[in-house]
Amino acid sequence: MTATAVKQSRRRGRRRVFNTVNVSAVAIALITAAPIYWLLVNSITPTGEMGTLPPTFWPADPTLTHYEEAFGQHAFGRYLFNSLLVACLATTTVLGLSLFAGYALARMPVRGKGPIMVFLLMISVFPTIAVVTPLYMIERSLGLLNTHIGLILPYVAFNLPFAVWIMRNYLKDLPYELEESAQIDGASTTRTVWSVILPTVRPGLFAVGVFTFTACLTEFLMAMTFSSEDEMRTVPVGIALFGSEFEVPFGTIFAASVATVLPIAVLALVFRRAVVAGMTAGAVKG
C-alpha cells in the first residue's frame, strides 16, 4: 500500500469517528450528563464548600450528612413512598387500559377513529392548570382529597391519551395472521390480546410505562393542590417545602433530588432498548 493510500485510509477513519453525528451525540450526552453530575456532587458536598469560587468539581471532604437530614429531619421517606405507590398504581392502570384501547382503535372496526385520535391528541397536550380548580371541587365533594386514589385517578386520566396514542400506532401494523391463528383455535378477543398480542408489544408497553411512571413521579401541580396534609405529600411537593423563610437547605434538596432521580435512572438503564424500540415504532407507524 502506497503512502497516499495510507493517508487516505487514515483520513477516512478520522471521518468515521469525527463526523457530525458522533460529535453531536457526544455534545448532547455531555450537556445532559453535566446537570446530573453537578446534582450528585452537591449532594455530598459540605454546606461550607457550596458556592465557592472557583467551583470545585469534587468535594474535598465528601459527606452523607445531607442524605441523613433528608431522611431524618424531614419526612422524605414518606414522601418517596407516596410517590412510588401512586406512580406504580397509576402506571399499571394506564398500561392495562391503553393496551386494550389501543388494540380496539388499531385492529377493530370502530366508528370515528379519526376524530377519536384527534381528541386524544388534544387531551394529551391540554394544560393541567386549566382543570385543577374543577378537579379540586370534584375531589372535595367526593372526599378524595389527601388520599392516594385522589392522585391516581387524575394521573391516569392525563397520561392515558398519550399512552393510547402510542399503543395504537405500535399495534396498527402488526400482522393480522397472529389474530387469525388465535381465532382459529377458538380464542376470544380478550384471550387473543393477553396471550398473542401482549408478548409482541412489550417494547411499546415499556416505553409507555417509563414515560408514565416518570410523569407521575415528578408531577407537582395536582400533588400540591390535592394533598395538603404532610403525610400524604409526594416527593416534588415535599422537596419544595424544605427549608424555612430564612434558610434554603440546598444540600438536603440536592440529596433528596438524587434519591428521586435514582428510580427513573434505573428504569431507563434496564429498559433502554425496549424504550427506544417502542418510541421508534410509535413514531414511524401511523
Side-chain angles (χ1 to χ4, degrees):
M1 183 179 292
T2 62
T4 303
V6 172
K7 290 181 180 180
Q8 292 178 350
S9 177
R10 291 177 179 176
R11 192 176 296 113
R12 285 194 296 268
R14 294 192 191 98
R15 288 175 180 173
R16 292 193 187 100
V17 177
F18 297 102
N19 56 42
T20 304
V21 175
N22 289 344
V23 172
S24 300
V26 172
I28 292 173
L30 290 175
I31 293 173
T32 304
I36 299 176
Y37 173 78
W38 199 246
L39 179 69
L40 178 62
V41 168
N42 279 279
S43 70
I44 58 176
T45 300
T47 304
E49 293 187 31
M50 289 186 180
T52 57
L53 292 176
T56 56
F57 294 95
W58 188 259
D61 186 20
T63 179
L64 296 178
T65 303
H66 302 311
Y67 290 91
E68 296 174 356
E69 292 175 352
F71 287 93
Q73 298 180 10
H74 302 277
F76 181 74
R78 181 65 185 180
Y79 303 154
L80 188 60
F81 171 80
N82 291 334
S83 292
L84 292 176
L85 178 63
V86 169
C88 289
L89 292 178
T91 301
T92 303
T93 305
V94 167
L95 289 178
L97 294 176
S98 65
L99 174 61
F100 285 95
Y103 177 82
L105 291 171
R107 319 289 287 186
M108 301 180 70
V110 179
R111 291 184 179 181
K113 287 185 179 181
I116 290 175
M117 296 304 298
V118 172
F119 181 70
L120 290 175
L121 185 60
M122 292 173 58
I123 294 177
S124 64
V125 298
F126 200 78
T128 306
I129 194 171
V131 295
V132 165
T133 300
L135 281 178
Y136 177 85
M137 301 298 292
I138 293 173
E139 294 212 355
R140 187 179 66 175
S141 63
L142 296 176
L144 296 179
L145 296 178
N146 294 303
T147 63
H148 292 131
I149 193 66
L151 288 179
I152 293 173
L153 289 178
Y155 285 176
V156 170
F158 274 88
N159 288 283
L160 188 58
F162 172 77
V164 172
W165 182 275
I166 293 295
M167 291 308 303
R168 180 259 184 185
N169 290 342
Y170 194 87
L171 287 162
K172 186 177 180 181
D173 288 341
L174 288 180
Y176 281 92
E177 289 77 10
L178 294 174
E179 297 152 279
E180 292 174 355
S181 61
Q183 292 173 0
I184 292 174
D185 293 336
S188 63
T189 302
T190 304
R191 180 69 176 177
T192 300
V193 174
W194 186 258
S195 301
V196 179
I197 301 299
L198 179 59
T200 64
V201 297
R202 286 179 180 175
L205 286 175
F206 283 136
V208 171
V210 169
F211 279 91
T212 302
F213 181 84
T214 303
C216 295
L217 192 67
T218 58
E219 198 280 328
F220 177 80
L221 182 59
M222 287 187 288
M224 181 72 176
T225 305
F226 303 151
S227 301
S228 57
E229 295 181 1
D230 188 64
E231 63 178 9
M232 296 304 301
R233 286 172 179 155
T234 58
V235 164
V237 179
I239 293 178
L241 297 178
F242 279 1
S244 61
E245 183 180 358
F246 305 101
E247 179 187 9
V248 179
F250 290 106
T252 307
I253 293 175
F254 287 134
S257 300
V258 170
T260 306
V261 171
L262 188 60
I264 301 175
V266 171
L267 280 177
L269 181 63
V270 173
F271 301 118
R272 62 188 183 280
R273 294 183 179 178
V275 171
V276 172
M279 290 304 297
T280 303
V284 300
K285 296 178 182 178

